[in-house]
Amino acid sequence: MQKTFSIIKPDAVASGKAGNILAHLETEGFRIVALRMTRLSLSVAGGFYAVHKERPFYNSLVNFMTEGPVVLMALEREDAVKKLREVMGATNPANAADGTIRKLYAESIERNAIHGSDAPETAAQELAYFFTSVELNQL
Ligand code: CMP
């Protein structure tokens, strides 16, 4: 079993798709280990996306991620990191395969409904950024 980290982004929460996305993830075999709805501050969102600091879209991305509530999730299943990336679809919904979460719910390359960690090492860092070890291991 492997854990990964995911965020239902402000666009999908605002459009009322958070429940559909959670159901989609459970249908794909992910167990919800930890879950929290919150609104990210500029410093928390900026820190989370620090790896993209030099990218032209960084400021816009951080503003978007703070515009409304998000749902933070720790998810578990076999091969969770890779499987979540498949289920999410391509970053740009225009390139996402039919049936993927981004194809179904994303608006644009930035407002793309969901985040998922890109590697096991990133998943460990991102899980620890938002959840305590007690939250990740209690249930
Ligand atoms: P995510 O998987 O959370 O990782 C980084 C985020 O930056 C990505 O989803 C998008 O929301 C955003 N992003 C990536 N590429 C671009 C781009 N070319 N223009 C605007 N936003 C982008």
Side-chain angles (χ1 to χ4, degrees):
M1 282 296 189
Q2 186 182 52
K3 286 191 182 78
T4 192
F5 176 72
S6 184
I7 305 177
I8 303 175
K9 296 187 179 184
D11 58 324
V13 175
S15 63
K17 300 304 181 193
N20 289 30
I21 291 172
L22 284 169
H24 193 121
L25 293 169
E26 288 192 319
T27 300
E28 291 288 350
F30 290 91
R31 186 172 79 83
I32 300 167
V33 173
L35 184 75
R36 184 163 78 247
M37 181 177 254
T38 187
R39 185 163 178 176
L40 304 181
S41 67
L42 285 172
S43 71
V44 168
F48 181 72
Y49 280 120
V51 65
H52 296 305
K53 208 166 175 34
E54 305 307 323
R55 303 281 196 102
F57 57 81
Y58 176 75
N59 283 335
S60 174
L61 172 63
V62 170
N63 282 323
F64 159 55
M65 291 299 292
T66 61
E67 75 179 27
V70 295
V71 179
L72 309 174
M73 297 169 282
L75 302 171
E76 185 177 70
R77 61 157 281 160
E78 268 178 36
D79 216 6
V81 172
K82 185 159 158 265
K83 183 68 184 175
L84 178 60
R85 304 280 294 183
E86 288 172 16
V87 166
M88 291 192 314
T91 303
N92 187 343
N95 303 327
D98 283 348
T100 60
I101 291 171
R102 284 170 170 160
K103 184 69 169 193
L104 289 166
Y105 304 120
E107 297 172 22
S108 67
I109 192 168
E110 177 175 272
R111 304 175 70 83
N112 64 354
I114 186 167
H115 167 82
S117 307
D118 63 4
E121 302 72 30
T122 326
Q125 288 167 10
E126 293 180 351
L127 287 165
Y129 191 74
F130 285 111
F131 292 109
T132 66
S133 62
V134 170
E135 287 172 313
L136 294 173
N137 294 299
Q138 68 185 342
L139 299 175

